[in-house]
């Protein structure tokens, strides 16, 4: 392992196990317009750039551009997109612009900050040498007129796994109260943070950058955004790298079952790893049994959070926070073991902090309520599905992101508007789809489903449990950079083992 990679993993481990959330950057940009209002800034379609005055973005440019809240009413209310640009290190051999987009509640700008802090420019090779890197936060997320709501997403006494009709009704009533508060505070933006609206923003960014074609690097939910953009604007992408692709071609219920199965398998792999790894704080323990005991105890008596800054956590809360701890084996698995030990000792703080540090749960949920159909509307339907998931996932109980999106959107007053998925996309470049053989967020098979929608695409498998693989795998970096520079894809069926 290289010195840079060792430093990267040590630093990431320190950040994650400490439960540190990245600070909000002070970007050198104009004042952001409140949703539903206009502000005296540059006209729509123009990016205003300034040198970043934030030490997290050395030598980079920070920018904003205005776009319509509702693209069908381009002269009505506006919002501001936030961007950060890192110019290519070798301008004489520059080949274009690579757009980094993390999608659905994830701040691409904060992802770039985290990567830069941990050695990304030194290990990236051609990606940073020959391409301008542009990180843009999706509308409503991070620094792009972020959606903020004052009602808690899930207060004490509200369960995402209601055991009876009264608890179900309480959940639905709270969801409606939460949605009304979001609408009151954010205006029409709440109804326009869907994939299609966000993809139209990307086309505005391309125009504002003055480039004929973009190169796309999308992680997780942003793989769906990239495919949506390619369908709406054929010929506007030179390359598409899709890291940890999702499959939205099936029903929401099928997706929940698949995600639940994958997350439970990931937990079992974590528990097995813990039995023999010196990096696990629970080495030699029956980790699954101790985790189950912690969850059961917390459901009886919620576990306090240090400093009283958060309500005590139930077992349901702990389960709901576990999936994101399973995403990067070398980093978040040790952090999960530490979180369990700490909670066993009476402090559940680590289960209140997203280990990635760039996600806002409200900004994850609100777009999900627009992008997913809502096939469940009654307690009986929810109860049947929950029992099916619990049978498949005795440890996590089905507490995965897609379940949260399903029940968190019950009673939501804004209609869903999911994109049509599954058809062949013409005018898109053959994509490089990066897919781990084991992953808590997306099954390996989802990579092939995504590739099938983009003719000529290839799935590069990576043996392991990780996502965001460019930072972690020399094999993935080599294949990605060859694709970026020469548009040469690996042979079908190739698997990276490092």
């Amino acid at each position: 392992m290289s010195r840079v990679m060792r430093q990267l993993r040590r630093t990431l481990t320190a950040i994650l196990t400490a439960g540190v959330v990245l600070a909000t950057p002070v970007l050198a940009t104009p004042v952001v317009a409140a949703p539903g209002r206009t502000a005296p800034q540059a006209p729509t379609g123009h990016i205003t750039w300034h040198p970043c005055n934030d030490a997290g973005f050395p030598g980079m440019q920070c920018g904003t551009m205005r776009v319509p809240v509702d693209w069908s009413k381009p002269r009505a209310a506006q919002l501001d997109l936030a961007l950060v640009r890192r110019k290519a290190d070798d301008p004489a051999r520059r080949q274009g612009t690579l757009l980094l987009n993390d999608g659905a509640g994830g701040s691409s700008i904060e992802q770039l900050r985290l990567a830069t802090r941990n050695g990304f420019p030194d290990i990236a090779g051609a990606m940073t040498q020959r391409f301008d890197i542009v990180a843009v936060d999706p509308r409503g997320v991070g620094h792009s007129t972020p959606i903020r709501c004052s009602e808690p997403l899930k207060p004490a006494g509200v369960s995402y796994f209601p055991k009876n009709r009264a608890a179900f009704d309480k959940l639905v009533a709270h969801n409606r109260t939460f949605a009304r508060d979001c609408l009151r505070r954010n205006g029409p933006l709440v109804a326009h943070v869907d994939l299609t609206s966000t993809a139209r923003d990307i086309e505005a960014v391309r125009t504002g950058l003055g480039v004929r074609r973009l190169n796309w690097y999308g992680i997780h939910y942003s793989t769906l955004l990239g495919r949506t953009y390619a369908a709406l604007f054929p010929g506007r992408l030179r390359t598409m790298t899709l890291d940890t692709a999702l499959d939205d071609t099936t029903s929401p219920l099928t997706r929940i079952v698949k995600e639940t199965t994958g997350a439970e398998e990931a937990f079992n792999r974590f528990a097995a790893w813990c039995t023999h790894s010196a990096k696990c704080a629970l080495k030699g323990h029956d980790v699954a049994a101790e985790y189950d005991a912690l969850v059961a105890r917390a459901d009886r008596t919620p576990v306090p959070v240090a400093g009283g800054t958060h309500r005590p956590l139930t077992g349901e809360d702990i389960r709901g926070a576990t999936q994101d701890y399973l995403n990067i084996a070398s980093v978040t698995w040790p952090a999960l073991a530490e979180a369990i030990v700490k909670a066993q000792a009476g402090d559940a703080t680590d289960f209140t902090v997203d280990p990635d540090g760039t996600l806002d749960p409200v900004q994850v949920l609100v777009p999900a309520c627009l992008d997913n159909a809502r096939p469940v509307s009654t307690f009986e339907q929810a109860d049947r599905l929950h029992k099916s998931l619990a049978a498949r996932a005795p440890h996590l109980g089905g507490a995965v992101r897609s379940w949260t999106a399903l029940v968190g959107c019950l009673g939501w007053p804004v209609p869903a508007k999911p994109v049509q998925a599954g058809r062949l996309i013409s005018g898109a470049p053959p994509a490089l789809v990066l897919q781990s053989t084991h992953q808590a967020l997306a099954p390996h098979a989802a990579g092939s489903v995504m590739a099938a929608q983009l003719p000529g695409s290839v799935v590069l498998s990576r043996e392991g449990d990780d996502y965001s693989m460019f930072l972690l795998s020399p094999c993935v970096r080599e294949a990605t950079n060859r694709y970026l520079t020469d548009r040469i894809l690996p042979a079908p069926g190739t698997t990276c083992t490092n």
Side-chain angles (χ1 to χ4, degrees):
M1 186 186 299
S2 70
R3 177 186 62 80
V4 172
M5 284 304 297
R6 286 196 298 270
Q7 180 182 356
L8 168 66
R9 291 191 178 185
R10 282 197 300 270
T11 307
L12 276 172
T13 302
I15 291 172
L16 297 173
T17 54
V20 175
V21 178
L22 296 175
T24 300
V26 181
L27 302 177
T29 57
V31 176
V32 173
R37 302 190 182 99
T38 57
Q41 299 181 21
T44 299
H46 176 79
I47 302 174
T48 302
W49 293 106
H50 300 280
C52 294
N53 61 9
D54 185 319
F57 303 107
M60 301 186 206
Q61 295 176 307
C62 291
T64 56
M65 75 175 301
R66 298 177 66 204
V67 295
V69 170
D70 182 351
W71 275 99
S72 69
K73 301 174 181 177
R75 298 186 182 278
Q78 306 281 302
L79 64 90
D80 287 287
L81 300 178
L83 308 92
V84 173
R85 178 166 64 184
R86 184 189 188 278
K87 291 291 193 74
D89 291 330
D90 187 352
R93 301 173 71 198
R94 178 184 176 275
Q95 290 185 263
T97 296
L98 185 143
L99 197 71
L100 174 66
N101 196 303
D102 198 38
S107 169
S108 306
I109 289 172
E110 291 305 316
Q111 285 280 344
L112 179 61
R113 176 201 295 277
L114 181 61
T116 300
R117 180 184 296 173
N118 291 290
F120 165 66
D122 297 324
I123 66 171
M127 181 181 283
T128 49
Q129 292 166 9
R130 299 193 187 185
F131 293 86
D132 295 346
I133 307 294
V134 174
V136 54
D137 279 355
R139 54 171 50 212
V141 169
H143 308 280
S144 292
T145 313
I147 289 176
R148 303 290 187 198
C149 309
S150 61
E151 284 286 331
L153 194 60
K154 188 171 81 73
V158 170
S159 173
Y160 280 165
F161 295 92
K163 292 182 171 58
N164 51 52
R165 190 171 287 102
F168 179 86
D169 292 343
K170 186 175 184 179
L171 169 63
V172 174
H174 170 70
N175 289 348
R176 288 182 178 134
T177 299
F178 173 79
R180 284 194 295 268
D181 173 68
C182 290
L183 286 163
R184 183 171 58 253
R185 291 179 173 273
N186 300 278
L189 178 59
V190 169
H192 296 284
V193 286
D194 55 291
L195 279 171
T196 299
S197 297
T198 305
R200 294 190 183 282
D201 293 345
I202 299 303
E203 177 62 4
V205 169
R206 183 195 65 80
T207 302
L209 290 169
V211 298
R212 187 169 68 89
R213 291 186 296 175
L214 291 166
N215 297 275
W216 184 276
Y217 195 106
I219 303 172
H220 189 242
Y221 203 83
S222 187
T223 64
L224 304 182
L225 179 59
R227 182 211 55 202
T228 303
Y229 176 73
L232 287 173
F233 301 101
R236 308 293 170 80
L237 291 175
R238 175 181 172 272
T239 63
M240 290 182 74
T241 305
L242 305 177
D243 183 332
T244 312
L246 298 181
D247 176 11
D248 62 345
T249 63
T250 60
S251 73
L253 300 184
T254 298
R255 296 202 292 273
I256 291 172
V257 169
K258 289 182 177 180
E259 185 180 354
T260 294
T261 301
E264 187 75 5
E265 289 175 354
F267 178 85
N268 289 334
R269 287 170 63 81
F270 156 74
W273 166 84
C274 249
T275 62
H276 59 78
S277 176
K279 296 179 180 179
C280 179
L282 290 165
K283 181 184 178 183
H285 293 231
D286 186 337
V287 177
E290 293 198 21
Y291 177 85
D292 292 345
L294 171 64
V295 167
R297 189 186 95 194
D299 274 334
R300 293 190 302 270
T301 306
V303 182
V305 171
T309 56
H310 193 287
R311 62 173 173 79
L313 299 194
T314 65
E316 178 184 320
D317 296 326
I318 291 171
R319 278 177 159 175
T322 298
Q323 184 185 21
D324 283 344
Y325 270 108
L326 298 170
N327 287 328
I328 304 177
S330 62
V331 177
T332 57
W333 284 13
L336 174 57
E338 292 283 358
I340 293 170
V341 170
K342 198 169 171 181
Q344 288 174 326
D347 178 7
T349 300
D350 289 357
F351 286 107
T352 67
V353 179
D354 181 85
D356 181 275
T358 64
L359 297 175
D360 182 302
V362 169
Q363 294 164 12
V364 172
L365 180 69
V366 175
C369 290
L370 300 180
D371 289 329
N372 293 285
R374 302 170 195 168
V376 168
S377 59
T378 68
F379 167 69
E380 289 76 16
Q381 291 171 330
D383 190 50
R384 280 196 301 271
L385 179 57
H386 175 214
K387 288 175 179 175
S388 172
L389 299 181
R392 292 172 176 271
H395 302 303
L396 298 186
V400 294
R401 286 191 189 181
S402 53
W403 172 265
T404 300
L406 180 79
V407 297
C409 299
L410 289 168
W412 198 258
V414 181
K417 39 187 171 183
V419 299
Q420 180 186 2
R423 62 186 177 89
L424 291 180
I425 307 299
S426 62
L432 174 61
V433 182
L434 308 174
Q435 207 78 5
S436 285
T437 54
H438 306 280
Q439 230 295 303
L441 289 172
H444 181 259
S448 297
V449 175
M450 177 61 77
Q453 298 169 70
L454 301 161
S457 298
V458 169
V459 177
L460 175 63
S461 301
R462 197 257 176 151
E463 184 65 40
D465 300 80
D466 305 324
Y467 83 145
S468 197
M469 287 169 273
F470 187 88
L471 287 175
L472 300 169
S473 168
C475 174
V476 167
R477 281 198 298 280
E478 180 180 352
T480 302
N481 280 331
R482 188 182 188 207
Y483 172 60
L484 281 173
T485 55
D486 301 324
R487 288 183 283 183
I488 296 175
L489 291 165
T494 301
T495 298
C496 286
T497 57
N498 66 354

